[in-house]
Amino acid sequence: MEINLPPYEIKMSERGGKRMIFDFLRRRYVSLTPEEWVRQHFVHYLVEHKGYPKGLLANELSLQVGEKRLRCDTVLYDTALHPRMIIEYKAPDIAITQRVFNQITVYNFLLHVDYLIVSNGLQHYCLRMDYERQSCEFLSDIPAYGEL
């Protein structure tokens, strides 16, 4: 599956006839879906190319609003373990539309982070939130960890 992210040394396995990919943040094999393929490549990109500490990243963070359960694909924390960034992934064949931005915005109502990223492996969008001005700015690139 072609995507617009650097390659890394992928660990794959098969269990019960299902293809699995190793998630080095959760330290276990997970079912290989097109979205998971994007997630694993993106997280490796952040750690290996942008200097993000893997100990401050978490995959599949559960949130709850009343009776509704939500799940953030990846969250970056600061060293005091406050959320700083939410990353939402889609499969490469899923277009990044306003609906995807609406989805990540719902997560941000709960976490109130500084950065939002949306990626389908082919296109990546990074927004920096400005809560004082009640606006956001699209960045031309995903910032290195030291630039956050």
Side-chain angles (χ1 to χ4, degrees):
M1 186 175 327
E2 284 295 313
I3 57 175
N4 184 20
L5 289 163
Y8 74 97
E9 194 173 318
I10 301 166
K11 294 181 185 174
M12 303 277 284
S13 140
E14 195 166 309
R15 294 200 182 131
K18 290 183 92 175
R19 294 183 70 194
M20 309 290 280
I21 189 167
F22 188 74
D23 181 335
F24 80 129
L25 296 182
R26 291 181 272 183
R27 288 181 232 138
R28 63 183 171 91
Y29 283 91
V30 296
S31 183
L32 177 59
T33 63
E35 182 179 308
E36 194 62 46
W37 182 257
V38 172
R39 179 198 332 261
Q40 293 308 315
H41 278 79
F42 204 93
V43 169
H44 278 271
Y45 166 69
L46 291 177
V47 171
E48 296 168 11
H49 298 271
K50 294 290 186 174
Y52 286 57
K54 82 176 202 177
L56 296 179
L57 289 162
N59 283 339
E60 297 281 321
L61 177 73
S62 290
L63 303 172
Q64 190 163 347
V65 182
E67 295 296 311
K68 189 170 186 171
R69 285 196 159 311
L70 306 171
R71 193 176 338 218
C72 292
D73 288 337
T74 301
V75 174
L76 170 73
Y77 294 90
D78 64 17
T79 54
L81 300 183
H82 298 111
R84 290 278 328 268
M85 178 184 286
I86 301 169
I87 309 165
E88 178 65 26
Y89 309 106
K90 297 297 177 194
D93 63 333
I94 304 293
I96 304 294
T97 63
Q98 184 61 48
R99 185 174 179 182
V100 178
F101 287 103
N102 293 348
Q103 179 184 0
I104 199 169
T105 300
V106 169
Y107 302 154
N108 198 35
F109 283 133
L110 297 171
L111 297 181
H112 204 74
V113 299
D114 299 321
Y115 296 90
L116 302 175
I117 295 178
V118 175
S119 175
N120 65 1
L122 300 170
Q123 297 175 296
H124 324 292
Y125 297 96
C126 182
L127 295 88
R128 180 175 29 226
M129 305 305 295
D130 184 338
Y131 294 103
E132 285 183 21
R133 293 190 178 103
Q134 295 185 349
S135 66
C136 62
E137 170 191 8
F138 278 92
L139 304 179
S140 61
D141 194 15
I142 293 161
Y145 181 72
E147 298 170 347
L148 298 179

